[in-house]
Amino acid sequence: MSGNSIGRLFTLTTFGESHGPALGAIVDGCPPGLELGENDLMADVERRRTARSRFTSQRREPDRVRILSGIFEGLTTGTPIGLLVENVDQRPKDYAAIRDRFRPGHADYSYQQKYGIRDYRGGGRSSARETVMRVAAGAIARKYLRLRLGVEIYGYLRQLGPIRLEPVDLGSVDHNPFFCPDPVRVPELETYMKALAKEGNSIGARIDIVARGIPPGLGEPVFDKLSADIAHALMGINAVKGVEIGAGFAVVEQKGTEHRDAITPQGFASNHAGGILGGISSGQDIHVSIALKPTSSLRLPCATIDANGEPVELVTHGRHDPCVGLRATPIAEAMLALTLMDHYLRHRAQNADVERQPATVPGSVDAGDRRP
Amino acid sequence: MSGNSIGRLFTLTTFGESHGPALGAIVDGCPPGLELGENDLMADVERRRTARSRFTSQRREPDRVRILSGIFEGLTTGTPIGLLVENVDQRPKDYAAIRDRFRPGHADYSYQQKYGIRDYRGGGRSSARETVMRVAAGAIARKYLRLRLGVEIYGYLRQLGPIRLEPVDLGSVDHNPFFCPDPVRVPELETYMKALAKEGNSIGARIDIVARGIPPGLGEPVFDKLSADIAHALMGINAVKGVEIGAGFAVVEQKGTEHRDAITPQGFASNHAGGILGGISSGQDIHVSIALKPTSSLRLPCATIDANGEPVELVTHGRHDPCVGLRATPIAEAMLALTLMDHYLRHRAQNADVERQPATVPGSVDAGDRRP
Amino acid sequence: MSGNSIGRLFTLTTFGESHGPALGAIVDGCPPGLELGENDLMADVERRRTARSRFTSQRREPDRVRILSGIFEGLTTGTPIGLLVENVDQRPKDYAAIRDRFRPGHADYSYQQKYGIRDYRGGGRSSARETVMRVAAGAIARKYLRLRLGVEIYGYLRQLGPIRLEPVDLGSVDHNPFFCPDPVRVPELETYMKALAKEGNSIGARIDIVARGIPPGLGEPVFDKLSADIAHALMGINAVKGVEIGAGFAVVEQKGTEHRDAITPQGFASNHAGGILGGISSGQDIHVSIALKPTSSLRLPCATIDANGEPVELVTHGRHDPCVGLRATPIAEAMLALTLMDHYLRHRAQNADVERQPATVPGSVDAGDRRP
Amino acid sequence: MSGNSIGRLFTLTTFGESHGPALGAIVDGCPPGLELGENDLMADVERRRTARSRFTSQRREPDRVRILSGIFEGLTTGTPIGLLVENVDQRPKDYAAIRDRFRPGHADYSYQQKYGIRDYRGGGRSSARETVMRVAAGAIARKYLRLRLGVEIYGYLRQLGPIRLEPVDLGSVDHNPFFCPDPVRVPELETYMKALAKEGNSIGARIDIVARGIPPGLGEPVFDKLSADIAHALMGINAVKGVEIGAGFAVVEQKGTEHRDAITPQGFASNHAGGILGGISSGQDIHVSIALKPTSSLRLPCATIDANGEPVELVTHGRHDPCVGLRATPIAEAMLALTLMDHYLRHRAQNADVERQPATVPGSVDAGDRRP
């Protein structure tokens, strides 16, 4: 319970450091009888890999995920699923320079204060490399939700620094290195990233994630609202500094007549709520948006202190993502899938015998939705 | 574990409906030996009460909190603290009209789908009345943090609809009904709210909350980052649709050189991180911002459906807040206090014997901070 | 999470001291739609009350349990159920003598070491008075299990000091103050207890509890075996020092051919397993047996130390049970009911869509069972 | 939360099947700065290995435990510790015969009912092979408790079928294949086991475990009593059917004057309580005793049913322990170590600043203790 587990019933626990021998995870609570193999995991893991393009870290990891338990003759058995990925492309020597100094904007200082010791190689446990296990586990949740409930989860780059994007063509998202939902704008992103690389700087990003086909009734009313648990899951991704549900911060300037989503027998007339009412899913699309900060590891120097508290200047070498947001889409999708899966099981535990309500509106009309 | 508990070690569990006989809570895990009485709780509970001004719900509840256990001779004993507030000003008859129809923008529809039954009187469990227990419990956490660690937690109205405010005078926050941190702007808020009332409409708001004096090292690195648990706690407040830590969504357009907070022996040179690095507190002020949606209960009619799925029009009467954000400040402070207290105990459990680090910078310079 | 909650999905959290103003509890996770009223709780609470006979403590508490939330129009709503019992017959002055000395065999010394403070009045939180909330909450679980699954849970006195009893007539258990399952032996128990009272001494007891009609499949394979969680629940009752499942300690001398329960299409041929195989219910009766120690509070003097560590002699006055085991039957039944209910929901969460197996044997033949 | 995790703050989560590719575990919450290497784990793992003698299963597994994370330069870092053991000596074909029939006394039937599917090879997840991870993780807890608190944990065979043993020479326990604490009696045990093997039968056993040097104050008062959590941990070991604390079931016939342990400035005068008062450690030795059932897998035939519910006869081949109790000592020690470690952290979280009490007696005199 040092925070390396997530979920109450569909639970993911992970271990592993950036430059240790391996990363691993245990997924507990998966329903039995689900068709599952390593290839199911690899599809999403491939999408988050580094070195897919020149715009991400050049660390080259095959990220071959092995399933070590919990599957028998191609089906989940209900027992815990052990996952393992060996680290291959470690270069711990790259990090000798930061052994005794704290990188600004990184966890170096706070880890040292917390534990009195830290594995400084590539950030150790604080590295985004840890997220490979989230994506692998999320793929299990996602497969269950898709096969059993018809849920589709997808995400895309919504904004890169000053460049705002609209989800014009969701089918194109996986065919460019930016998860950009508008193929026409890809060259613009390329130009921007090249200039940034030349400058030696980094940039923030906004990612949107949507879950379609979620049944109404998921989420718990008070502290564990579906929105609260989604916020927990997504704010727990490295570099995330903000989370919005539905209209998000735009609600601050909305009036009640504008915000409230009218209900008709044909469905909701809009979706400012982002698919969650009173912490419980309404059956509409669930819309989430997150903000990712720019990487702090730059070759441009910055003031910091060393292990003795003396002022020093730091220049970071090594292999870093100039925009961590560029690889965040599959991670964010995975975290949303894990949260929804967990709440599906929680809901089923308490309410499995509740009868379907006479007044149920179709999924969602989404007419007034700010996203497609 | 139907989501009515929060915290792993300093745990709050609540019960109670808007128009039931009483609201109650159990606070478990409080360290022993803390001087505590009912008056300690009432100070904060008073701040969140309805009917403090003409701009909040006119329901008149004395909200007298009784402590039923866990205190002996004025000190906490380490055993659970039972809290109780009787509901006095119930008017369940006000709600007969919504028995068979679902208020748009409310939990009526989603509760019905989840449980197949709902206490429709005043929203039942989904009412903001439930938050009185959060505030009472938060006062316990806050007192411990202040007395033992010197932590101060404060919040204020940052934006009301189109009106943006700056924290000019924090001392004035509790002396106006808006928790406005700029006394000069209070008349402007009054004028805005009066016009809104006349119109019969409601409006959203943004609240900022700050914790000062937090020791470095609180928070868990991966899923239970301090930022993630804060997001969970605050997104779990009724009507909240967005949460930001530090620079929040502004990071999307920040470059790395701008965002990263340089470290000097005199302290951090800025605080875009909002006091949290890699999910762990850095010792700087913790800055959080939340967005609250406008109330959906209006006397202006809205389309909806009834229990049989037939289209109907709804006009809501009863006593409602035209801006739920106006009473959210003490609730948000309480949720932050509960989260910090819980993480303080979590940290102490694992790391109580870690020695103080040689390289520790003073609290925070906050020079470049976007907030004072 | 200071141990005042039990259950993962059907959760009970309690508060209250022996001589504080009230005892209370929150039951979270109850499925909606269950017919429930205060009378459902009172039936079991009455069975555990003190002063039912001259052989139990003479403290006279009406133990009127109020339900403060979670019920609407006679049905559970799925929201938390708040319970409250006011303490009426407090006599804190009886306990001034133990303010500064530690009663041997009691929690006085260990509480003082743990918390540095203790509510010494009647043992404070360590008093068996706390169990009234367990019985009230257990009645909710029991009602659900009976109405929805046809489960019956019953217990009885199996041994009182040297007197061993057989479950000859279960129908008679509630008609004598000993929960004795053999009406012919009641006078013998009365004679024994009268002699004990004269002597000023106390005695231990053994209680058996059985759950009949449990569906196969409840329990989790590894750490949270159904047997393990039952052991946790029952060893958590005040004064319990031993727990057995099925044949219990008798297995030490059993051979494999004797112990293993053969399976036939007509059912299991015996039940040495006590209804649990590999931590999972088999559909047979679940058999549990517990040992309760004798009360240590006696008018016969005992050596102890005072708050300064000086040797003193202690004589305990006040109102005590000469055999705490005599009132333990409803408490043990309640704890078993809570555990089974929790595991029923846990099972349903993960396995709700598992199809009924072709090879299912009828409940249990129990031919070779050592108990009827 | 399908029961494959144990502990609240010092948490062990395991995965792996008897004949799958590997077994693994994640230990979360270990304090940082503890000197730890694979050899620390191997000492205990070696003690539980099969094929140490002719009296245990002849499966030959090297059980080489790898540490994959959480250690840096020989010290724990506070991040999760990943553990892995490859399975080497799998013989899944041995189990074809039980694919379609349920072994009496095993989890086959209950797993099938629960999940609708099972990995029948060697019992899959229900195999005692899973306990290798418990022993490896327990070694971490044990090392911390020994180095930081001076706690020693040891166990021994107390009874094998009809043969009762006394702890005459604890130093000899590890020098015979039975964990027998009386070297003179070892030949008697050998003779008994040889006769049993000839017969093709199996036998039960009783194991005692003691923790010495535990500080007073560990354990939570109500549901999570130290005794309750020990019972949970030990009843969760395969084949365990009974757990006793201190005098255990002997309390049934004890009078209060006999049971209660007098307190003197020199220590407690006896230890019938087994080191736990009111659920909290007293500083005396913690004494636990468990009963393990005989293996049900025998070459002697037994009636059972097949997957279609038809009656069949079963003869079990494969490699089985004729007395599972013979290898249970290190497993039971590990589970006790894990529980104590977890409660040490839980206690520290809430009570780290409680001052040492003036009235503290030395460890324990144990004069009247039934065990040395």
Side-chain angles (χ1 to χ4, degrees):
Chain A
M1 207 166 276
S2 284
N4 296 290
S5 295
I6 195 166
R8 300 292 181 98
L9 294 178
F10 190 90
T11 307
L12 168 64
T13 306
T14 71
F15 71 82
E17 275 84 37
S18 180
H19 290 264
L23 300 158
I26 303 177
V27 175
D28 200 13
C30 187
L34 179 70
E35 311 77 6
L36 194 75
E38 291 174 355
N39 287 342
D40 290 309
L41 280 54
M42 287 311 297
D44 280 337
V45 168
E46 278 293 324
R47 292 170 67 223
R48 102 164 253 300
R49 272 183 60 210
T50 48
R52 287 174 79 232
S53 82
R54 54 182 292 189
F55 306 116
T56 58
S57 164
Q58 293 305 303
R59 178 168 173 169
R60 297 191 179 275
E61 288 286 354
D63 284 349
R64 187 74 226 167
V65 182
R66 290 174 64 202
I67 297 180
L68 298 177
S69 66
I71 310 284
F72 185 61
E73 300 180 345
L75 299 176
T76 58
T77 59
T79 60
I81 302 170
L83 304 176
L84 195 76
V85 168
E86 308 272 347
N87 279 327
V88 171
D89 187 15
Q90 302 130 296
R91 293 192 205 162
K93 287 184 187 163
D94 282 8
Y95 299 96
I98 58 167
R99 178 183 185 122
D100 295 317
R101 45 187 68 187
F102 304 111
R103 293 171 299 167
H106 274 281
D108 300 350
Y109 177 77
S110 52
Y111 264 63
Q112 189 70 36
Q113 291 285 345
K114 184 175 188 67
Y115 299 119
I117 182 178
R118 75 181 202 279
D119 178 351
Y120 59 83
R121 302 166 303 171
R125 181 73 179 147
S126 74
S127 165
R129 179 130 187 77
E130 163 262 325
T131 58
V132 68
M133 280 298 131
R134 303 184 185 212
V135 173
I140 302 173
R142 181 187 282 220
K143 184 163 188 189
Y144 185 93
L145 292 170
R146 189 176 62 241
L147 286 192
R148 298 287 187 271
L149 301 179
V151 171
E152 292 297 334
I153 294 169
Y154 58 90
Y156 48 85
L157 181 68
R158 174 77 185 209
Q159 187 174 347
L160 176 78
I163 305 172
R164 289 163 198 251
L165 303 163
E166 291 297 322
V168 172
D169 176 5
L170 290 170
S172 72
V173 166
D174 277 0
H175 300 112
N176 68 76
F178 305 100
F179 297 95
C180 170
D182 184 354
V184 175
R185 309 284 298 280
V186 170
E188 190 181 342
L189 296 171
E190 285 175 348
T191 306
Y192 183 86
M193 289 303 295
K194 279 179 200 166
L196 194 71
K198 207 168 195 174
E199 184 187 326
N201 221 328
S202 61
I203 191 70
R206 177 195 279 261
I207 304 290
D208 279 13
I209 320 108
V210 180
R212 174 159 290 179
I214 289 296
L218 306 196
E220 303 297 338
V222 178
F223 299 116
D224 290 352
K225 288 182 168 71
L226 185 56
S227 40
D229 277 0
I230 289 173
H232 172 258
L234 291 172
M235 193 71 95
I237 298 174
N238 311 41
V240 173
K241 301 301 279 187
V243 178
E244 293 183 319
I245 306 288
F249 278 88
V251 299
V252 174
E253 304 196 19
Q254 285 181 336
K255 288 193 174 173
T257 43
E258 180 186 358
H259 177 81
R260 60 182 178 181
D261 305 308
I263 315 176
T264 78
Q266 291 74 42
F268 289 85
S270 55
N271 189 10
H272 296 99
I276 301 176
L277 286 170
I280 301 172
S281 66
S282 65
Q284 288 192 280
D285 287 1
I286 290 177
H287 282 198
V288 190
S289 191
I290 58 174
L292 292 110
K293 68 175 185 181
T295 320
S296 298
S297 293
L298 306 174
R299 65 171 200 259
L300 301 173
C302 187
T304 188
I305 57 172
D306 67 15
N308 298 314
E310 299 299 318
V312 289
E313 191 170 77
L314 188 82
V315 173
T316 316
H317 299 292
R319 301 161 294 181
H320 300 286
D321 287 296
C323 176
V324 290
L326 289 192
R327 290 200 289 134
T329 294
I331 303 167
E333 292 169 358
M335 294 312 293
L336 184 59
L338 289 168
T339 306
L340 292 171
M341 182 70 197
D342 190 45
H343 271 284
Y344 175 68
L345 298 187
R346 290 176 74 167
H347 175 65
R348 189 159 84 169
Q350 188 182 18
N351 304 297
D353 44 13
V354 170
E355 288 173 21
R356 190 171 170 77
Q357 297 299 301
T360 301
V361 303
S364 110
V365 170
D366 277 353
D369 187 10
R370 61 179 180 129
R371 295 171 214 145
Chain B
M1 208 167 278
S2 285
N4 296 289
S5 295
I6 193 165
R8 298 294 179 99
L9 294 178
F10 190 90
T11 308
L12 168 65
T13 305
T14 71
F15 70 81
E17 274 84 37
S18 181
H19 291 264
L23 299 158
I26 302 177
V27 175
D28 200 11
C30 186
L34 179 70
E35 311 75 6
L36 194 73
E38 292 174 355
N39 286 342
D40 290 310
L41 282 53
M42 288 310 300
D44 280 338
V45 168
E46 278 293 323
R47 292 170 68 224
R48 119 182 230 291
R49 273 183 60 208
T50 48
R52 286 174 79 232
S53 81
R54 53 182 293 188
F55 305 114
T56 57
S57 164
Q58 294 304 301
R59 178 168 174 172
R60 298 192 177 273
E61 287 286 353
D63 283 350
R64 186 74 226 169
V65 183
R66 288 173 65 201
I67 297 180
L68 298 176
S69 66
I71 311 284
F72 185 61
E73 300 181 344
L75 299 176
T76 58
T77 59
T79 60
I81 302 171
L83 304 176
L84 195 76
V85 167
E86 308 272 347
N87 279 327
V88 172
D89 187 17
Q90 303 128 295
R91 294 193 203 161
K93 286 184 186 163
D94 282 8
Y95 299 95
I98 58 168
R99 179 182 184 122
D100 295 317
R101 47 187 68 186
F102 304 112
R103 293 172 300 167
H106 274 282
D108 300 350
Y109 177 77
S110 53
Y111 264 63
Q112 189 70 36
Q113 291 285 344
K114 184 174 189 67
Y115 300 119
I117 181 179
R118 77 182 201 279
D119 177 351
Y120 58 85
R121 302 166 305 170
R125 181 74 179 146
S126 75
S127 165
R129 181 133 185 76
E130 164 262 324
T131 58
V132 68
M133 280 297 130
R134 304 185 184 211
V135 174
I140 302 174
R142 179 187 283 221
K143 185 165 188 188
Y144 184 93
L145 292 170
R146 189 176 62 240
L147 286 191
R148 297 287 187 271
L149 302 179
V151 171
E152 293 297 333
I153 295 170
Y154 57 90
Y156 49 85
L157 181 67
R158 174 78 183 207
Q159 187 174 349
L160 176 77
I163 306 172
R164 290 163 198 249
L165 303 163
E166 291 299 322
V168 172
D169 176 5
L170 290 170
S172 73
V173 166
D174 276 1
H175 300 112
N176 67 75
F178 303 101
F179 296 94
C180 171
D182 184 354
V184 175
R185 310 282 298 279
V186 170
E188 190 181 341
L189 296 171
E190 284 176 348
T191 305
Y192 183 86
M193 290 303 294
K194 278 180 202 166
L196 194 72
K198 207 167 192 175
E199 185 187 326
N201 221 329
S202 61
I203 191 70
R206 176 195 280 260
I207 304 291
D208 278 14
I209 321 108
V210 180
R212 174 158 290 179
I214 289 297
L218 306 196
E220 303 296 338
V222 178
F223 299 116
D224 290 352
K225 287 182 168 72
L226 186 56
S227 40
D229 278 0
I230 290 173
H232 172 258
L234 291 173
M235 194 70 97
I237 298 174
N238 312 41
V240 173
K241 301 302 279 187
V243 177
E244 293 182 319
I245 306 289
F249 277 88
V251 299
V252 173
E253 304 196 20
Q254 286 180 336
K255 288 193 173 172
T257 42
E258 180 186 359
H259 177 82
R260 62 182 177 180
D261 305 309
I263 315 176
T264 78
Q266 292 74 43
F268 290 84
S270 56
N271 189 9
H272 296 100
I276 301 176
L277 286 171
I280 300 172
S281 67
S282 66
Q284 289 191 279
D285 287 2
I286 291 177
H287 284 198
V288 190
S289 191
I290 57 174
L292 292 111
K293 70 175 185 181
T295 321
S296 297
S297 293
L298 307 173
R299 62 172 202 259
L300 303 172
C302 187
T304 189
I305 57 171
D306 67 14
N308 298 314
E310 298 300 319
V312 289
E313 189 171 78
L314 188 80
V315 173
T316 316
H317 299 292
R319 300 161 294 179
H320 300 287
D321 287 297
C323 175
V324 289
L326 289 192
R327 289 200 289 135
T329 294
I331 303 167
E333 292 169 358
M335 295 312 293
L336 184 59
L338 289 167
T339 306
L340 292 171
M341 182 71 198
D342 190 44
H343 270 284
Y344 174 68
L345 298 187
R346 291 176 73 167
H347 175 63
R348 189 159 83 169
Q350 189 183 16
N351 304 296
D353 44 13
V354 170
E355 289 173 20
R356 191 170 169 78
Q357 298 298 301
T360 301
V361 303
S364 115
V365 170
D366 276 354
D369 187 9
R370 63 184 179 124
R371 296 170 213 147
Chain C
M1 208 166 278
S2 284
N4 296 289
S5 294
I6 193 166
R8 300 293 181 97
L9 294 177
F10 190 91
T11 307
L12 168 64
T13 306
T14 71
F15 71 81
E17 275 83 39
S18 181
H19 290 265
L23 300 158
I26 303 177
V27 175
D28 200 11
C30 186
L34 178 70
E35 311 76 6
L36 193 74
E38 293 175 353
N39 287 341
D40 290 309
L41 281 54
M42 287 311 299
D44 280 338
V45 168
E46 278 293 324
R47 292 170 68 224
R48 126 188 219 287
R49 271 184 60 209
T50 48
R52 287 175 79 232
S53 81
R54 54 182 293 188
F55 305 115
T56 57
S57 164
Q58 293 305 300
R59 178 169 174 170
R60 297 189 179 276
E61 288 285 354
D63 283 349
R64 187 73 226 168
V65 183
R66 289 173 64 202
I67 298 179
L68 298 177
S69 66
I71 310 285
F72 186 61
E73 300 180 344
L75 299 176
T76 57
T77 59
T79 60
I81 302 171
L83 304 177
L84 194 76
V85 167
E86 308 272 347
N87 279 328
V88 171
D89 187 16
Q90 303 128 296
R91 293 192 204 161
K93 287 186 186 162
D94 283 8
Y95 299 96
I98 58 167
R99 178 182 187 123
D100 295 316
R101 46 187 68 187
F102 304 112
R103 293 172 299 167
H106 275 282
D108 300 350
Y109 177 77
S110 53
Y111 264 63
Q112 189 71 35
Q113 291 286 344
K114 184 175 188 67
Y115 299 119
I117 182 179
R118 75 182 202 279
D119 178 351
Y120 58 83
R121 301 166 306 171
R125 182 70 178 150
S126 74
S127 165
R129 180 132 186 76
E130 164 262 326
T131 58
V132 68
M133 280 297 130
R134 304 185 185 212
V135 173
I140 302 173
R142 181 187 281 220
K143 184 164 188 188
Y144 185 94
L145 292 170
R146 189 176 61 241
L147 285 192
R148 298 287 187 269
L149 302 179
V151 171
E152 293 296 334
I153 295 170
Y154 57 90
Y156 48 85
L157 181 68
R158 175 77 185 209
Q159 187 174 348
L160 176 78
I163 306 172
R164 289 163 198 252
L165 302 163
E166 291 298 322
V168 173
D169 176 5
L170 291 170
S172 73
V173 166
D174 277 0
H175 300 112
N176 67 75
F178 304 101
F179 295 95
C180 170
D182 184 353
V184 174
R185 308 284 298 280
V186 170
E188 190 181 342
L189 296 171
E190 285 175 349
T191 305
Y192 183 86
M193 289 303 294
K194 278 180 202 167
L196 193 70
K198 207 168 194 175
E199 184 187 327
N201 221 329
S202 62
I203 191 71
R206 177 194 279 261
I207 304 291
D208 279 14
I209 321 108
V210 180
R212 175 159 289 179
I214 289 296
L218 306 196
E220 303 296 337
V222 178
F223 300 115
D224 290 353
K225 288 182 168 71
L226 186 56
S227 41
D229 277 0
I230 289 173
H232 172 259
L234 291 172
M235 193 70 95
I237 299 174
N238 312 41
V240 173
K241 301 302 280 187
V243 178
E244 294 182 318
I245 306 289
F249 278 88
V251 298
V252 174
E253 304 196 20
Q254 285 181 336
K255 289 193 173 172
T257 42
E258 180 186 0
H259 177 81
R260 60 182 179 180
D261 305 309
I263 315 175
T264 77
Q266 292 73 44
F268 289 85
S270 56
N271 189 10
H272 296 99
I276 302 175
L277 286 170
I280 300 172
S281 67
S282 65
Q284 289 191 280
D285 288 1
I286 291 178
H287 282 198
V288 190
S289 191
I290 58 173
L292 292 111
K293 69 175 184 180
T295 320
S296 298
S297 293
L298 306 174
R299 65 170 201 261
L300 302 172
C302 186
T304 189
I305 56 172
D306 67 15
N308 298 314
E310 299 299 318
V312 289
E313 189 171 77
L314 188 81
V315 173
T316 316
H317 299 293
R319 301 161 293 180
H320 300 286
D321 286 297
C323 176
V324 289
L326 289 193
R327 290 199 289 134
T329 295
I331 303 167
E333 292 169 359
M335 295 312 294
L336 184 58
L338 289 167
T339 306
L340 292 170
M341 182 70 197
D342 190 45
H343 271 283
Y344 174 68
L345 298 186
R346 290 176 74 167
H347 175 65
R348 189 158 84 169
Q350 188 182 17
N351 304 296
D353 44 13
V354 170
E355 289 173 20
R356 192 172 168 77
Q357 297 299 302
T360 301
V361 303
S364 113
V365 170
D366 277 351
D369 187 8
R370 63 181 179 129
R371 294 168 215 150
Chain D
M1 207 167 276
S2 284
N4 296 289
S5 296
I6 193 166
R8 299 293 180 98
L9 293 178
F10 189 90
T11 308
L12 168 65
T13 305
T14 71
F15 71 81
E17 276 84 38
S18 181
H19 291 264
L23 300 158
I26 302 177
V27 175
D28 200 11
C30 186
L34 179 70
E35 311 76 7
L36 194 73
E38 292 174 353
N39 287 342
D40 290 310
L41 282 52
M42 287 310 299
D44 280 338
V45 168
E46 277 294 323
R47 293 170 66 224
R48 102 164 251 301
R49 273 184 60 210
T50 47
R52 287 173 79 232
S53 82
R54 55 182 292 190
F55 305 114
T56 57
S57 164
Q58 294 304 301
R59 178 169 174 170
R60 298 192 177 274
E61 288 286 354
D63 283 349
R64 187 74 227 168
V65 182
R66 289 173 65 202
I67 297 180
L68 298 176
S69 66
I71 311 284
F72 185 61
E73 299 180 346
L75 299 176
T76 57
T77 59
T79 60
I81 302 170
L83 304 176
L84 195 75
V85 168
E86 307 273 347
N87 279 328
V88 172
D89 187 17
Q90 303 129 296
R91 293 193 204 161
K93 285 184 188 166
D94 282 8
Y95 299 96
I98 58 168
R99 180 184 185 121
D100 295 316
R101 47 187 68 186
F102 304 112
R103 293 172 299 166
H106 275 282
D108 300 351
Y109 177 78
S110 53
Y111 264 64
Q112 190 70 36
Q113 291 285 344
K114 183 174 189 66
Y115 300 118
I117 181 178
R118 76 182 201 279
D119 177 352
Y120 58 84
R121 303 165 305 170
R125 182 72 179 147
S126 74
S127 164
R129 180 131 187 77
E130 164 261 325
T131 58
V132 68
M133 280 297 132
R134 304 184 185 212
V135 173
I140 302 173
R142 180 187 282 220
K143 184 164 188 188
Y144 184 94
L145 292 170
R146 189 175 62 240
L147 286 191
R148 297 286 187 272
L149 302 179
V151 171
E152 293 297 333
I153 296 170
Y154 57 90
Y156 49 85
L157 181 67
R158 174 78 187 209
Q159 187 174 347
L160 177 77
I163 306 172
R164 289 164 198 249
L165 302 163
E166 291 299 322
V168 171
D169 176 4
L170 290 171
S172 72
V173 166
D174 277 1
H175 300 112
N176 68 75
F178 303 101
F179 296 94
C180 170
D182 185 353
V184 175
R185 309 283 297 279
V186 170
E188 189 181 342
L189 297 171
E190 285 176 348
T191 306
Y192 184 86
M193 289 303 294
K194 278 180 203 167
L196 194 72
K198 206 168 194 175
E199 185 186 327
N201 220 331
S202 61
I203 191 69
R206 177 196 280 259
I207 304 291
D208 279 13
I209 321 108
V210 180
R212 174 159 290 179
I214 289 296
L218 306 196
E220 303 296 338
V222 177
F223 299 116
D224 290 352
K225 287 182 169 73
L226 186 55
S227 40
D229 277 1
I230 289 173
H232 173 258
L234 292 172
M235 194 71 96
I237 298 174
N238 312 40
V240 173
K241 301 302 278 187
V243 177
E244 292 182 319
I245 306 289
F249 278 89
V251 299
V252 174
E253 304 196 18
Q254 285 181 336
K255 288 192 173 173
T257 43
E258 181 186 358
H259 178 81
R260 61 182 177 180
D261 304 308
I263 315 177
T264 76
Q266 291 74 43
F268 289 85
S270 56
N271 190 9
H272 296 99
I276 301 175
L277 286 170
I280 301 172
S281 67
S282 65
Q284 288 192 280
D285 288 1
I286 291 178
H287 283 200
V288 191
S289 191
I290 58 174
L292 292 111
K293 69 175 185 180
T295 321
S296 298
S297 293
L298 306 173
R299 63 170 201 261
L300 303 172
C302 187
T304 188
I305 57 172
D306 67 15
N308 298 315
E310 298 299 319
V312 289
E313 190 171 77
L314 189 81
V315 173
T316 316
H317 299 292
R319 301 161 294 180
H320 299 287
D321 287 298
C323 175
V324 289
L326 289 192
R327 289 200 290 134
T329 295
I331 304 167
E333 291 168 358
M335 295 312 293
L336 184 58
L338 290 167
T339 306
L340 292 171
M341 182 71 198
D342 190 45
H343 270 284
Y344 175 68
L345 298 186
R346 290 175 74 167
H347 175 64
R348 189 158 83 168
Q350 189 182 16
N351 304 297
D353 45 12
V354 171
E355 289 173 21
R356 191 170 169 77
Q357 297 299 301
T360 300
V361 303
S364 112
V365 171
D366 276 354
D369 188 10
R370 62 182 179 127
R371 297 172 213 145

